[in-house]
Amino acid sequence: MARIAIDLHGGDFGPSVLIPACLHYFRAHPEHHGVLFGDQNVCKPLTHFCPTNIEWIDTKDIAELAHKPAQLMRRDSFSSIETAFKALRDGQVDALVSAEHTGVLLVLVAKYGELHSALNRPVLAAWLPTLTGTAIMLDLGASFTANQQQLLSYAAIGTALVPISEENPRLSLLNVGAEYFKGPEALRLAHATLQGWSNINYRGFIEASDIFNGKTDVIVCDGFTGNSIIKASTGALDLTFALLKARLERGLLKPLLAWWLKRQLKTVLKKLDPRLANGALVTGSNLLVVKSHGNANDRAFTSAIERAVCALALDSTGEIRRKLDKLDEKIPLDRA
Amino acid sequence: MARIAIDLHGGDFGPSVLIPACLHYFRAHPEHHGVLFGDQNVCKPLTHFCPTNIEWIDTKDIAELAHKPAQLMRRDSFSSIETAFKALRDGQVDALVSAEHTGVLLVLVAKYGELHSALNRPVLAAWLPTLTGTAIMLDLGASFTANQQQLLSYAAIGTALVPISEENPRLSLLNVGAEYFKGPEALRLAHATLQGWSNINYRGFIEASDIFNGKTDVIVCDGFTGNSIIKASTGALDLTFALLKARLERGLLKPLLAWWLKRQLKTVLKKLDPRLANGALVTGSNLLVVKSHGNANDRAFTSAIERAVCALALDSTGEIRRKLDKLDEKIPLDRA
C-alpha cells in the first residue's frame, strides 16, 4: 500500500480538475491511499461519493505562493503544498504529487528534504515518448547550466530510473554533434568519464533529432536545453495537428470521414504528447516528489499519480541514492 | 543580377544532389549567375544541358576537410569550399551557398571575412515555420553559450533580417518561463536592456512552446539551445508522421484512401519541416554565406540558393552591419 499526498491547489485549474482525477484514481486502486491537502471550503462541494481510501487534510490555500519561490524559504506557511511537504518529511505519506510551479517545488524540496551530497540542487527527470517506447530525459530545468559533475550525477540518476529488469541501460549525452570533439567543454569532460563507467551501455553524444527515435534509454542534458526541448516539441506537435486538422476540414470528405480521421490523429497525439506522459520526478533528495504539468487535465494528472506509485514500487529514491553514493566514492566532486 | 557561388562538395550527398539543384534553379532564373566550385572529374559526367548562366570552377575536393575545423586555419587549401570562399572575399561572387559542416563554415568565415567588432564569432540564423508564417531564430549553434552582449547582438541581427516593410518586428528572448525573474542572469540582463530599445516591439521572454504559434517574429537564444530545439522539433515531427502512417496503414481504408491521406500528410509536412525551410545565414561578417542542411535533397538545396538571392536583394549583410554599428555606439561591449 502506498500513501500518496496530493496538493489540490497547484496547477492552472486547481481542485476542480485535481479532485475528479484523485477520485477516479483511488476508486480504481483501493490498494493505495490518497491524502488530499486542500482548503475544505473550496474542496468540500466537489467531493461527493468519496471512496474510503481517501483522506482529507484541511489547509489554507495561499494564492500568492507562486510568485518569488525564494521567499518561501524565509517564512512558515500552512498552504496545501507546504502542509503536504511537512507530512512527507514526517513520514506520514510516502510520496507527494503536485502541479505547483517547478521553482516552488525545488525550494520546498530544499526546505523539507535532504539533498544528496553529490548534488547542490534537485534534478528534474521525465519520460518522453519514442518510436519504440519511452526514454528518460534529465535535467529539465531544475538548473540552467550543467558542469561535468552535474552531468555525471544526472547520468547516475537517469540510469537509476531505468527498471533493473532492463540490464545495461543505453545512456547518451545531448550535444550539437555526435563527434567526440564537438560541443562545450563540460560535455566533452563528462563524455571522457562516462566511457570508463561499467554497468551502463554508454552511447556517446546524441543529437536532439535522435531523442524520439528510440536509440537510447537515458538522455542527459543541461536543464535549460532540456526544458526548451520538451516545450518546443509540444509546440511543434500543436502546429502539426492544427495544420493537419485545417487541411482535413477543407478536404472533400467532410463531415463523417473527417471526424473519423481526427479521431485517428487524436489517438496518435495521445501516444506522443509529452503533456500526457505526465509526471516528472523531482529527484536528488530523500523525498519522493512528482511534478505534474500545470495545465494537466484530470487524465494527465492521473498519470502523475501513477508515476508516484510506480516510483515507490521501484524504490526509485533509494536506487538514485545508491547510484549517487557510488558517484561520490568514485570521483572527488567539486561542489559549490 | 546576383552571382552565387555554390560549393558542390559539401553535405551528405555532394555533386549528385547539388548539381541537379543548381541546374534547376539557374535554368528557372536566367537573371542570376551560378558559379559552381567542384572537382571537374567528378562533376563533368553530371552536367549535361548546362544553361549559359552557370560557370564552372575546377577545384580539388579534399575529403578529410570535415574533421577538425580548427586545422583549416593553419594551412592553405584548394578544396571547393576554400576556393569559393576566396572568390567571395575577392568580390568575384556576391554570396556563397554550401552544405558543409557548420564548424567548417564558421572557421572559413573567420579566415576570409571580417567579423563585426560587436561580435567575437559569427551567428547562425534561420527561418522556422509557424502557424501564421515564419519566424527568425538565432543563434543556432555558432556559439554554445550567450552572455548579455551576445544576446543583444543576436537581437540586432534578428531584427535586421525582418524585411523593412514589416515595421517594428516582434522580438522575444527564449527562457524557461515568461516571468521577468526567471532564467539565467544573462537573459535577465538582456531583458532589462531590450525593454529600453526603440523601433522594436520587444515582447519579453517566450517559452519554447510558443516558438511555432506565430506570437513573435524573432526568437533570440543561445546556440546550444537553438540547435537542440531545431533538431528536437524535426525529431518530434518524424515520430508523429511515422506513427500516423503506421496507424493509417493498419486501418480499414487501404489502399486508395491511405495513399490519399499520406499525400495530405506530406503536404503538411512540407510546410512544417525545418529541413525544407532550408538555408541558415552565417551572419556577422562582411561575407554573405548560406548554410544548407547536410542532408538536403535537391529541392531543399534550391531553397538555400533562394535564401542567398533574397538576402542579397534585401542587403541583409549591410542591414546587419548597420544594426550592429548602432549596438556598438549604444553599449560599451565587454568583448573577449
Side-chain angles (χ1 to χ4, degrees):
Chain A
M1 189 199 75
R3 287 177 64 86
I4 311 289
I6 313 281
D7 159 31
L8 293 175
H9 291 289
D12 302 346
F13 310 118
S16 64
V17 160
L18 305 190
I19 290 177
C22 293
L23 293 179
H24 176 82
Y25 183 84
F26 289 104
R27 246 184 235 131
H29 295 88
E31 72 276 21
H32 298 310
H33 200 85
V35 186
L36 277 50
F37 292 79
D39 183 341
Q40 291 303 291
N41 293 331
V42 181
C43 297
K44 219 159 211 165
L46 297 156
T47 59
H48 324 294
F49 312 114
C50 186
T52 55
N53 58 333
I54 283 187
E55 187 181 324
W56 295 84
I57 308 287
D58 191 13
T59 63
K60 280 195 182 60
D61 174 37
I62 298 182
E64 74 273 33
L65 185 96
H67 288 305
K68 275 233 172 186
Q71 294 163 354
L72 290 172
M73 287 304 266
R74 290 193 291 270
R75 59 175 177 80
D76 202 21
S77 155
F78 302 95
S79 64
S80 58
I81 180 73
E82 287 216 54
T83 315
F85 259 101
K86 287 170 193 164
L88 184 62
R89 174 197 60 191
D90 300 341
Q92 293 157 14
V93 293
D94 305 314
L96 163 62
V97 182
S98 172
E100 194 44 88
H101 291 235
T102 306
V104 172
L105 293 178
L106 296 178
V107 167
L108 294 178
V109 163
K111 187 171 176 180
Y112 294 105
E114 283 165 32
L115 205 59
H116 192 280
S117 58
L119 302 170
N120 48 37
R121 285 176 76 81
V123 181
L124 208 61
W127 283 256
L128 299 182
T130 71
L131 202 55
T132 54
T134 57
I136 294 157
M137 187 155 147
L138 69 174
D139 174 40
L140 298 181
S143 304
F144 299 134
T145 56
N147 59 24
Q148 182 197 5
Q149 279 75 22
Q150 281 171 297
L151 292 169
L152 295 176
S153 63
Y154 301 171
I157 293 170
T159 51
L161 290 173
V162 178
I164 313 169
S165 56
E166 286 180 41
E167 268 182 66
N168 291 341
R170 294 167 301 167
L171 177 104
S172 305
L173 281 179
L174 186 82
N175 200 348
V176 293
E179 299 88 345
Y180 72 94
F181 57 80
K182 286 238 173 144
E185 193 189 16
L187 275 170
R188 285 181 278 118
L189 291 172
H191 175 76
T193 308
L194 283 169
Q195 285 179 316
W197 278 20
S198 53
N199 299 325
I200 62 157
N201 184 356
Y202 176 58
R203 308 294 288 256
F205 292 140
I206 196 175
E207 292 183 78
S209 43
D210 286 332
I211 289 174
F212 298 101
N213 64 13
K215 277 190 184 172
T216 194
D217 301 309
V218 179
I219 301 143
V220 165
C221 62
D222 72 84
F224 194 94
T225 307
N227 189 287
S228 300
I229 281 177
I230 302 278
K231 288 176 180 165
S233 306
T234 60
L237 277 182
D238 287 344
L239 176 62
T240 311
F241 283 91
L243 291 182
L244 264 177
K245 266 177 75 175
R247 197 167 171 83
L248 292 175
E249 272 162 7
R250 226 177 39 200
L252 300 164
L253 29 73
K254 40 184 157 171
L256 203 73
L257 199 51
W259 168 84
W260 180 85
L261 276 171
K262 276 190 263 170
R263 277 199 45 186
Q264 304 296 311
L265 292 182
K266 260 197 180 160
T267 317
V268 170
L269 181 64
K270 268 184 201 155
K271 215 167 161 178
L272 279 176
D273 196 329
R275 282 165 292 202
L276 290 175
N278 188 25
L281 291 187
V282 185
T283 68
S285 83
N286 59 328
L287 306 179
L288 178 46
V289 177
V290 173
K291 180 194 160 16
S292 161
H293 289 282
N295 62 356
N297 61 17
D298 54 348
R299 220 193 109 101
F301 194 76
T302 308
S303 306
I305 304 176
E306 256 161 26
R307 179 71 67 206
V309 170
C310 182
L312 277 173
L314 295 170
D315 186 22
S316 295
T317 307
E319 275 299 320
I320 290 170
R321 192 186 60 239
R322 284 185 283 278
K323 294 267 186 198
L324 288 175
D325 285 347
K326 278 190 199 166
L327 193 66
D328 251 358
E329 287 159 25
K330 237 189 279 185
I331 309 158
L333 291 182
D334 166 28
R335 250 166 268 137
Chain B
M1 189 198 77
R3 287 177 64 85
I4 311 289
I6 313 282
D7 158 31
L8 293 175
H9 290 290
D12 302 347
F13 311 118
S16 63
V17 160
L18 305 191
I19 289 177
C22 293
L23 293 180
H24 176 82
Y25 183 83
F26 289 104
R27 246 185 235 131
H29 295 88
E31 73 277 20
H32 300 308
H33 199 87
V35 186
L36 277 52
F37 293 79
D39 184 341
Q40 291 302 292
N41 294 330
V42 181
C43 297
K44 219 156 213 167
L46 298 157
T47 59
H48 325 291
F49 312 113
C50 185
T52 56
N53 58 332
I54 283 187
E55 187 181 324
W56 296 83
I57 308 287
D58 191 14
T59 64
K60 280 194 184 59
D61 175 37
I62 298 181
E64 74 273 31
L65 184 96
H67 289 305
K68 276 233 172 187
Q71 294 164 356
L72 290 173
M73 287 303 265
R74 292 193 289 270
R75 61 176 175 79
D76 202 21
S77 154
F78 302 95
S79 66
S80 58
I81 181 73
E82 287 217 54
T83 315
F85 258 100
K86 287 171 194 165
L88 185 62
R89 174 196 60 192
D90 300 341
Q92 292 158 14
V93 293
D94 304 314
L96 164 62
V97 182
S98 172
E100 194 45 87
H101 291 237
T102 306
V104 172
L105 293 178
L106 295 178
V107 167
L108 294 178
V109 162
K111 186 170 176 181
Y112 294 105
E114 283 166 31
L115 205 59
H116 192 281
S117 57
L119 302 170
N120 49 36
R121 285 175 76 83
V123 182
L124 208 61
W127 282 256
L128 300 182
T130 71
L131 202 55
T132 54
T134 58
I136 294 159
M137 187 156 147
L138 70 175
D139 173 40
L140 298 181
S143 303
F144 299 133
T145 56
N147 59 24
Q148 182 197 5
Q149 280 76 21
Q150 282 171 296
L151 293 168
L152 295 176
S153 62
Y154 301 171
I157 294 171
T159 50
L161 290 173
V162 178
I164 313 170
S165 56
E166 286 181 39
E167 268 181 65
N168 292 342
R170 294 167 301 168
L171 177 104
S172 306
L173 281 179
L174 186 83
N175 201 347
V176 293
E179 299 89 344
Y180 73 95
F181 57 80
K182 286 236 173 148
E185 193 189 16
L187 275 170
R188 285 181 278 118
L189 291 171
H191 175 75
T193 307
L194 283 170
Q195 286 179 316
W197 279 21
S198 52
N199 299 325
I200 63 159
N201 184 356
Y202 176 58
R203 307 293 289 254
F205 293 141
I206 195 176
E207 292 184 79
S209 43
D210 287 332
I211 289 174
F212 298 102
N213 62 13
K215 277 190 183 173
T216 194
D217 301 309
V218 180
I219 300 141
V220 165
C221 62
D222 72 85
F224 194 94
T225 307
N227 189 287
S228 299
I229 281 176
I230 303 277
K231 287 175 180 165
S233 306
T234 60
L237 277 183
D238 288 344
L239 175 62
T240 311
F241 283 91
L243 291 181
L244 265 177
K245 266 176 74 174
R247 199 168 169 82
L248 292 175
E249 272 161 8
R250 226 178 39 200
L252 302 163
L253 29 74
K254 38 185 162 174
L256 202 73
L257 199 52
W259 168 84
W260 180 85
L261 276 172
K262 276 190 263 171
R263 277 199 43 187
Q264 304 296 311
L265 292 181
K266 259 196 181 163
T267 317
V268 170
L269 181 64
K270 267 183 201 156
K271 215 165 160 180
L272 280 176
D273 196 330
R275 281 165 293 203
L276 291 175
N278 188 26
L281 290 188
V282 186
T283 68
S285 83
N286 59 328
L287 307 179
L288 177 46
V289 177
V290 173
K291 179 191 161 18
S292 160
H293 288 283
N295 62 356
N297 61 17
D298 54 350
R299 221 192 107 103
F301 195 76
T302 308
S303 306
I305 303 176
E306 256 161 24
R307 179 71 66 207
V309 170
C310 180
L312 277 173
L314 295 171
D315 186 23
S316 295
T317 307
E319 273 300 319
I320 289 171
R321 192 187 60 241
R322 283 185 284 278
K323 294 266 187 199
L324 288 175
D325 285 348
K326 277 191 201 166
L327 193 65
D328 251 359
E329 287 158 27
K330 237 189 281 187
I331 309 158
L333 291 181
D334 167 26
R335 250 166 266 137

